[in-house]
Amino acid sequence: MLLNFFSRLVNTTQKVNHTIYASNDSTIWENGAILYRNESLPTMIKVDVICRYIIYASTIRDHFSDLEVCEIGIVGCPPKNYGNCTFGCVKGWIGDQCELGPVCYKPDSVNFTTNCAPEVYQVYPTSGPVNGGTVLTISGNYLGNVNDSISIDIGGVRCIHLKVQTPYTTLTCVLVKNNATQTTGISVTVNANNYSDLNSIYFTFKEPKISKFSPKKGILSGNTTVTIMGQDIGFEGQNRYNISFCDDEICIKCSEYQKTSSSQNDYIKCKTGISTKHRVMTRLKVVIDDLTVLTLNETFQYLPDPTFNISTEIPKALQSGGVIFTIRGNGFKNVGAITVERVVKPCDVPQDTSTECETPPRLQNQSNNQTIEVHFDGVTIQVVIEYVDDPTFDNFHDVYLYDKQSSIEIKGRNILNVARREDYHINIGLDGICLITDISMDNITCLPPKSVPRTNKTDENTVPVVVNVIKIKVYIGDLQYKTEIITEDDNTFVMVVGILAAGVVVSISIGVSAVIVLRRKKN
């Protein structure tokens, strides 16, 4: 709020220290918030704190004086009540939003005690190892507070070390070991008030196993992505895994960052830590929920980091990205994955001394020469890319009539600006290809298929033409195949051809009959 302050009421001709306080107490206002302090006094002050009193104080010739400017009336919950609302909730109501009413809560000398049966809305996560150790979060209502007596049972399995995360609505607990994989039901008791659901499955116990992992090598700088495969190992939730590769000396952590679970394929992904020297780790160790320890005796090698032959030539790329550029060096096969920022597809590594990567799209509002980062697992290098204009293509003025014989021409600009002839593919209809016979900076000549390709248009003789080059896909118009029209002369020609064909057939028939007669006479 804005507070108008009439400075003419105070003698401001002398140099004094003017201070304005915001406080909830008019007697110890010096501990309040200072809204303003200066030798001159403003006419308006912005108040952006919660307070009850605005106090003005000054020092004039070593004499101190103060003035209570105003007392602000607050409409809302009275102070000294429970909850986190401003100045507390209305008496009898509690909770972060004052959402829990007095029907189910009765005050005692310390806090509010629930008097209603607890309600359970959700249990998370929904699965974990049979060895226990899974931290569950129980969400619901009337779940009690720190001084309440609370117990939780999941399908006959105790959940211990209870903690109240949010009073009355959220609890956490740790499951103990279970001998079976399937459990049904939940029971929550708060101060002798019980919630019980014996029919629903809130949590499933599983027996996780690991079978293999890949790749089997990575670089010393780490950050190699390792995929660990097995059975029932993809559990939901954060901070449930402790993964490491070990040898006889040390274990190096592999930080879990992705997991999945399905009926066919379970896996965890982790990123390797840093090694100070070449090592052959002989054992994979996976700990789930602190109590389940899985090991696999297979080797993982830490190999030297890649080295690079930095070229002074700046690669060129289209604005839309997708142009291939090459980085040369050594040790590229040691790297698990080579990636470029803002590019989904990893780089190809045809040999240990080179890698072929795609350029990302150009960042707008920056110069044409831009620096991009290429990640070799834990090693990152910077490459400068020069962006040039994308090729553009002219649309057909109208439907392009095609006589099934001639080539067609596609006009454009910057057609061979970085892009090569082999980068171009021109689609006719759904499955037709226009064979490129000639290409230049401003023209493409190609030969469509003789027969009409499939199309999703109503007119089956009219098909779309689409130009594809690297990441660019442009529809430039429709191609219409000319239909054959039979004229009167065509009918005469067809008739003549038919008569000649009939004559040939008759001649053959007569010849065959003559042979048969001669054979009979001879006999």
Side-chain angles (χ1 to χ4, degrees):
M1 72 176 177
L2 293 176
L3 180 66
N4 289 316
F5 207 95
F6 297 100
S7 59
R8 68 176 181 270
L9 298 178
V10 181
N11 183 0
T12 59
T13 59
Q14 304 180 50
K15 287 187 177 182
V16 298
N17 186 14
H18 301 282
T19 307
I20 299 174
Y21 296 89
S23 174
N24 287 325
D25 195 313
S26 62
T27 59
I28 52 172
W29 42 265
E30 297 95 334
N31 296 332
I34 297 177
L35 300 178
Y36 180 84
R37 173 175 287 169
N38 207 327
E39 291 183 351
S40 61
L41 194 64
T43 57
M44 184 174 293
I45 294 176
K46 182 180 179 181
V47 181
D48 55 1
V49 297
I50 298 173
C51 62
R52 185 173 180 180
Y53 298 97
I54 300 293
I55 307 291
Y56 165 77
S58 67
T59 343
I60 303 175
R61 295 180 181 176
D62 297 327
H63 292 285
F64 182 81
S65 63
D66 63 274
L67 170 68
E68 183 179 311
V69 178
C70 64
E71 178 180 354
I72 302 171
I74 304 296
V75 178
C77 301
K80 298 181 180 179
N81 279 342
Y82 294 90
N84 294 329
C85 298
T86 303
F87 294 115
C89 300
V90 174
K91 188 175 182 180
W93 291 80
I94 58 174
D96 286 345
Q97 303 298 325
C98 300
E99 74 274 18
L100 306 176
V103 175
C104 290
Y105 294 93
K106 56 183 181 180
D108 58 22
S109 58
V110 180
N111 69 338
F112 275 76
T113 304
T114 180
N115 197 33
C116 289
E119 298 174 358
V120 174
Y121 301 152
Q122 184 185 44
V123 175
Y124 182 86
T126 59
S127 61
V130 292
N131 287 338
T134 304
V135 178
L136 293 185
T137 299
I138 315 294
S139 301
N141 204 353
Y142 314 122
L143 296 179
N145 205 346
V146 290
N147 294 320
D148 291 319
S149 175
I150 308 170
S151 64
I152 299 175
D153 182 288
I154 305 288
V157 180
R158 289 185 303 118
C159 202
I160 60 177
H161 304 310
L162 280 87
K163 291 183 180 179
V164 176
Q165 300 298 326
T166 304
Y168 312 106
T169 59
T170 309
L171 305 173
T172 60
C173 60
V174 180
L175 282 171
V176 301
K177 184 176 180 179
N178 185 37
N179 296 323
T181 57
Q182 291 295 327
T183 59
T184 303
I186 188 173
S187 177
V188 178
T189 302
V190 179
N191 298 334
N193 299 306
N194 180 258
Y195 172 85
S196 181
D197 179 0
L198 303 179
N199 298 319
S200 302
I201 297 177
Y202 288 87
F203 188 86
T204 301
F205 287 92
K206 296 183 178 182
E207 298 182 11
K209 298 177 182 177
I210 55 176
S211 56
K212 58 183 179 179
F213 65 85
S214 66
K216 297 298 180 68
K217 60 183 179 180
I219 61 174
L220 297 178
S221 293
N223 213 40
T224 299
T225 300
V226 177
T227 301
I228 304 169
M229 287 153 281
Q231 176 182 337
D232 292 332
I233 59 173
F235 296 111
E236 59 190 350
Q238 301 296 320
N239 303 319
R240 301 188 64 179
Y241 295 85
N242 190 341
I243 306 169
S244 56
F245 286 101
C246 304
D247 61 11
D248 294 336
E249 296 180 357
I250 63 169
C251 289
I252 299 177
K253 185 177 178 62
C254 192
S255 302
E256 175 263 323
Y257 83 101
Q258 182 182 348
K259 51 194 172 285
T260 186
S261 176
S262 66
S263 57
Q264 282 84 26
N265 190 19
D266 280 13
Y267 64 83
I268 317 167
K269 287 188 176 183
C270 65
K271 289 186 178 291
T272 58
I274 299 173
S275 176
T276 56
K277 63 179 182 178
H278 170 264
R279 292 181 181 275
V280 178
M281 318 304 283
T282 57
R283 185 173 74 259
L284 169 66
K285 181 180 178 182
V286 179
V287 180
I288 308 174
D289 291 343
D290 295 333
L291 299 181
T292 299
V293 181
L294 308 174
T295 57
L296 187 63
N297 294 325
E298 292 189 10
T299 60
F300 179 88
Q301 290 192 67
Y302 273 99
L303 300 175
D305 289 350
T307 57
F308 308 97
N309 300 329
I310 304 299
S311 173
T312 57
E313 182 179 356
I314 299 178
K316 293 185 177 181
L318 297 178
Q319 306 272 329
S320 53
V323 175
I324 301 298
F325 69 99
T326 302
I327 301 174
R328 304 191 184 279
N330 285 287
F332 291 174
K333 290 287 187 180
N334 296 346
V335 181
I338 303 174
T339 59
V340 179
E341 62 171 305
R342 296 184 288 114
V343 176
V344 176
K345 181 179 179 295
C347 303
D348 294 327
V349 186
Q351 51 192 353
D352 193 56
T353 57
S354 67
T355 181
E356 297 175 347
C357 306
E358 286 187 8
T359 57
R362 176 182 176 272
L363 290 175
Q364 301 301 316
N365 303 321
Q366 293 190 17
S367 64
N368 285 333
N369 282 17
Q370 297 185 6
T371 301
I372 63 173
E373 290 188 344
V374 184
H375 304 284
F376 294 74
D377 287 348
V379 176
T380 298
I381 65 170
Q382 294 183 330
V383 178
V384 178
I385 301 292
E386 179 186 351
Y387 285 93
V388 298
D389 292 335
D390 284 352
T392 57
F393 309 95
D394 296 340
N395 291 332
F396 295 150
H397 294 300
D398 202 350
V399 176
Y400 199 118
L401 294 177
Y402 179 51
D403 59 8
K404 300 184 181 180
Q405 298 293 328
S406 307
S407 299
I408 65 172
E409 289 191 354
I410 300 171
K411 301 292 184 181
R413 285 158 297 283
N414 304 315
I415 290 177
L416 293 179
N417 214 4
V418 177
R420 304 160 298 175
R421 175 173 178 160
E422 54 266 32
D423 294 325
Y424 279 89
H425 302 279
I426 302 173
N427 296 111
I428 308 295
L430 298 178
D431 51 9
I433 300 295
C434 196
L435 298 177
I436 297 175
T437 58
D438 189 35
I439 188 169
S440 65
M441 206 64 166
D442 55 8
N443 186 80
I444 301 175
T445 303
C446 66
L447 186 64
K450 303 296 183 186
S451 59
V452 184
R454 292 185 306 116
T455 180
N456 52 11
K457 292 182 175 292
T458 305
D459 183 359
E460 295 181 355
N461 290 317
T462 302
V463 293
V465 179
V466 177
V467 179
N468 298 273
V469 53
I470 307 179
K471 295 291 185 181
I472 301 171
K473 185 176 184 179
V474 181
Y475 163 74
I476 60 172
D478 290 333
L479 190 72
Q480 186 179 66
Y481 281 71
K482 290 183 178 180
T483 56
E484 295 181 357
I485 301 174
I486 301 177
T487 63
E488 187 175 342
D489 292 337
D490 292 332
N491 287 332
T492 305
F493 173 75
V494 172
M495 186 179 296
V496 171
V497 172
I499 293 173
L500 291 175
V504 172
V505 173
V506 170
S507 299
I508 293 173
S509 300
I510 294 173
V512 172
S513 300
V515 171
I516 294 172
V517 170
L518 288 174
R519 284 178 178 267
R520 284 180 177 175
K521 285 183 178 183
K522 185 176 181 180
N523 290 338

